Amino acid sequence: MSKVWFITGSSRGLGREFAEAALGRGDRVAATARSTEGFGELAEKYGDAVLPLAVDVTDKAAVDAAVEAAVAHFGRIDVVVNNAGYAQVGAVEELSESELRGEMETNFYGAVWVVQAVLPHLRAQGSGHIVQLSSAAGLIAMPLGGAYHASKWALEGLNEALAGEVAPFGIKVTIVEPGGFATRKGKNPDPLDNGHMAAAHPAYVPLRERLAEAVKGQPAGDPAASARAMLKLVDLERPPLRVLWGLGFHPMLKQAYAARLQGWEEWQELSLEAQGELSV
């Protein structure tokens, strides 16, 4: 049976690839973005199978209205892909309040509003699959990514809790953690500058230069392949809670988690002292 998808941030990048892959196999898609201008080609090709919706995910009322419109149009929602988001770049000291709040409003709160809007419908159906696009950045943290890491780490915890809450209703949750994917067009002389770069503080210029050099030429995943993987994921009877997309971060993550476990083990005496188990 064909599925009905609700995808945020689907005008470009991975979200667009997911929408096209779903439509291409005969599924139906409520495709949301801040503007519907980029959906003309999809609408012309797939007709009523695609429902373009202009939605700013930071606007809870707009998210609620979009979900209701999707259910009214298609009768149900089977797959929810929380994909909308962006990466704010900057050292913690460099970040402005508006930059920090903007990152959390889109990446975190936007995802929460979508989940809250769809859950009554999924519970009534007794089925559904919520797919949260997180990132390898939701599992480890590196300099200049503090705001982005904070938003993705928050999503990791939120969705792990959500999975336990909604499983009794027949609803599945998967956190997808991609590495880097080649979704940006053209070349930028500064590989760190994605359009969301905090104003540079002179103290961090050497760090920016070192990191920019380090990320040059790093291999990027194929967005079309990620879309094929997404189709396979949502068709699984028992999908994973977490899945890492791309192999580039796997060795780094193994090392990072091993280091965490080792650190907790090494400082067990201090942990026990904090509990009051050791005499001081």
Side-chain angles (χ1 to χ4, degrees):
M1 186 177 74
S2 67
K3 292 180 169 65
V4 175
W5 299 55
F6 186 95
I7 308 174
T8 65
S10 54
S11 63
R12 56 189 176 85
L14 291 180
R16 180 60 172 248
E17 295 286 346
F18 301 153
E20 291 186 355
L23 290 165
R25 74 169 189 176
D27 289 353
R28 294 169 290 170
V29 176
T32 83
R34 287 178 178 266
S35 170
T36 59
E37 290 181 3
F39 293 125
E41 182 180 340
L42 287 183
E44 182 178 340
K45 184 175 182 179
Y46 295 105
D48 289 342
V50 59
L51 177 65
L53 295 166
V55 181
D56 179 348
V57 295
T58 68
D59 183 342
K60 188 176 188 301
V63 171
D64 290 342
V67 169
E68 294 304 317
V71 173
H73 186 78
F74 294 122
R76 61 185 294 116
I77 296 175
D78 301 301
V79 179
V80 179
V81 182
N82 257 331
N83 171 71
Y86 66 93
Q88 175 65 54
V89 180
V92 172
E93 187 178 358
E94 296 171 334
L95 296 166
S96 68
E97 180 179 350
S98 63
E99 287 168 336
L100 279 167
R101 290 186 181 279
E103 184 78 323
M104 295 302 293
E105 288 288 346
T106 296
N107 291 10
F108 179 72
Y109 286 106
V112 175
W113 304 152
V114 171
V115 168
Q116 290 184 342
V118 300
L119 276 179
H121 299 286
L122 303 188
R123 281 191 291 103
Q125 295 169 187
S127 65
H129 192 172
I130 297 171
V131 180
Q132 174 62 58
L133 265 290
S134 177
S135 168
L139 302 169
I140 55 176
M142 296 184 291
L144 303 187
Y148 185 59
H149 291 303
S151 70
K152 293 301 186 180
W153 283 47
L155 283 171
E156 291 276 340
L158 181 94
N159 280 273
E160 184 168 334
L162 175 68
E165 294 164 359
V166 301
F169 306 119
I171 303 168
K172 307 164 188 174
V173 176
T174 297
I175 307 167
V176 173
E177 298 150 339
F181 278 80
T183 58
R184 292 167 59 189
K185 303 294 185 182
K187 293 184 179 180
N188 191 321
D190 184 350
L192 295 179
D193 189 357
N194 64 351
H196 298 280
M197 177 80 82
H201 187 292
Y204 300 101
V205 169
L207 173 62
R208 288 183 181 228
E209 292 174 346
R210 290 196 302 273
L211 290 178
E213 188 63 32
V215 301
K216 282 182 181 177
Q218 286 189 347
D222 177 6
S226 79
R228 293 191 294 272
M230 178 63 78
L231 295 181
K232 183 174 181 179
L233 174 68
V234 301
D235 286 344
L236 293 173
E237 184 65 29
R238 298 177 62 186
L241 172 61
R242 286 184 169 86
V243 59
L244 184 68
W245 276 6
L247 298 176
F249 279 88
H250 189 243
M252 187 184 301
L253 288 167
K254 289 178 67 176
Q255 183 178 2
Y257 274 78
R260 289 179 193 179
L261 290 169
Q262 182 180 351
W264 287 322
E265 189 70 29
E266 288 179 356
W267 291 96
Q268 272 294 294
E269 185 173 327
L270 189 61
S271 300
L272 293 172
E273 183 176 324
Q275 177 69 18
E277 298 297 328
L278 294 179
S279 58
V280 180

